[in-house]
Amino acid sequence: MSLFRKSLASFGIGAAKVDTILPQDALIPGQPLPVEIEVQGGATEQQIDNIHLTLCCRYLEEVASGRGESEQRTEKVPQVCRLAHWSLPETFVIGIDEQRQFTATLDLPFNTPVTIGDAQVWLDTSLDIARAIDPKDKDTLTVRPEPLMDGVFTALEHAGLRIRQVECEAAKGFALPFVQEFEFVPVSGPFHGRWRELEVVAYRDEESLQLWFEVDRRQKGLTGMLSSFLGRGELKRQLTISADLSPEEAGDEVLTFLDRTT
């Protein structure tokens, strides 16, 4: 019977299970990510060689739709990006129905997408078990803007702009294969009637927050920031904000820059 149970466990039947618990409801890029990992033994004793955690997100990439030689069309296809991967060197044997708990503190990468719009971010946890299907757990995350970006969003909101659309789209020239694009529309304030829309792309590192802006004054929409940005040189409106600034100072600097250059 024991051999039979081990055979079933190798196919994932009656095997150990893993569950990751996030003590925080909302996470901030660049800040610690505490996790608690619970391992529940199954119907047979199993050796766990490692615990793996992978931070993932979804982004869109334009690919040829292949609808014929006379028609060259593209469509946006969802892709998965591995933002970060961690391994916990925990080798242990989990007994029948035994429970084990582990804790770890990870660093959430700066450019983890903010989970508004269609942005999706999740944490995959798996147990490394030799010659067996690895038990897995998937936890959807809520990610809020880091302080500098939050200061920029707050300033834009106070100036009468509202977020209309947010997308993670494929891009070249960055550490990640995508950027997150925020589209704003002025509904009141100094830019109402002056702009049709504002598009913002942000990239954060330890030293600074880099921002690219595209303003549309026309009655017809833009072809999109990314179409002009990627592969065709940098946008004309680019601003670098020092990480030493406060969120309020960052917001004020963005408003001053936009008012002066647009």
Side-chain angles (χ1 to χ4, degrees):
M1 178 63 71
S2 176
L3 180 60
F4 179 66
R5 287 181 177 177
K6 288 182 178 179
S7 298
L8 290 177
S10 69
F11 291 100
I13 302 173
K17 297 180 180 179
V18 62
D19 183 29
T20 299
I21 300 170
L22 303 170
Q24 297 178 348
D25 293 332
L27 307 172
I28 307 295
Q31 295 187 5
L33 167 60
V35 296
E36 299 176 3
I37 302 166
E38 295 184 353
V39 181
Q40 172 69 49
T44 186
E45 184 180 273
Q46 289 183 294
Q47 178 170 324
I48 313 298
D49 293 331
N50 213 326
I51 301 176
H52 300 286
L53 300 103
T54 305
L55 181 69
C56 303
C57 75
R58 187 188 76 113
Y59 69 96
L60 300 176
E61 183 175 19
E62 285 195 356
V63 299
S65 60
R67 299 192 178 184
E69 295 181 0
S70 60
E71 268 186 294
Q72 292 204 1
R73 298 186 179 180
T74 61
E75 58 181 337
K76 292 183 177 181
V77 177
Q79 306 288 353
V80 174
C81 174
R82 287 180 24 150
L83 297 166
H85 177 79
W86 303 275
S87 291
L88 307 183
E90 299 287 352
T91 299
F92 59 96
V93 173
I94 188 80
I96 298 174
D97 293 329
E98 181 185 359
Q99 292 184 343
R100 298 283 296 270
Q101 289 83 33
F102 303 90
T103 61
T105 300
L106 315 172
D107 291 324
L108 195 67
F110 269 123
N111 291 289
T112 301
V114 178
T115 51
I116 54 179
D118 293 333
Q120 299 176 16
V121 180
W122 65 92
L123 185 67
D124 280 334
T125 307
S126 64
L127 301 179
D128 188 355
I129 303 177
R131 297 180 297 279
I133 297 176
D134 293 339
K136 297 180 182 295
D137 180 44
K138 179 178 179 179
D139 295 275
T140 301
L141 307 183
T142 299
V143 182
R144 300 302 183 210
E146 57 85 27
L148 282 184
M149 199 65 202
D150 189 50
V152 172
F153 286 161
T154 300
L156 292 175
E157 182 179 2
H158 289 168
L161 289 104
R162 298 291 181 268
I163 290 182
R164 177 168 64 186
Q165 185 174 352
V166 181
E167 287 186 332
C168 294
E169 296 195 39
K172 296 180 181 179
F174 292 88
L176 297 174
F178 71 92
V179 292
Q180 189 169 28
E181 181 182 7
F182 302 88
E183 183 181 299
F184 294 83
V185 290
V187 296
S188 62
F191 303 112
H192 186 235
R194 180 175 164 188
W195 300 345
R196 182 179 179 273
E197 64 184 36
L198 169 70
E199 293 179 353
V200 182
V201 165
Y203 184 80
R204 181 75 158 86
D205 57 28
E206 292 283 352
E207 289 76 30
S208 64
L209 170 66
Q210 297 181 61
L211 297 166
W212 291 265
F213 303 96
E214 182 75 6
V215 175
D216 182 17
R217 295 193 186 94
R218 299 174 297 174
Q219 295 303 309
K220 296 183 179 180
L222 290 168
T223 57
M225 174 187 287
L226 295 176
S227 64
S228 60
F229 177 40
L230 307 174
R232 300 185 186 178
E234 294 184 348
L235 289 173
K236 295 180 181 178
R237 300 178 182 89
Q238 179 181 355
L239 175 65
T240 299
I241 297 175
S242 171
D244 295 329
L245 295 184
S246 69
E248 293 76 15
E249 291 171 330
D252 291 341
E253 188 165 329
V254 165
L255 291 182
T256 300
F257 174 82
L258 289 173
D259 188 56
R260 185 178 66 247
T261 61
T262 61

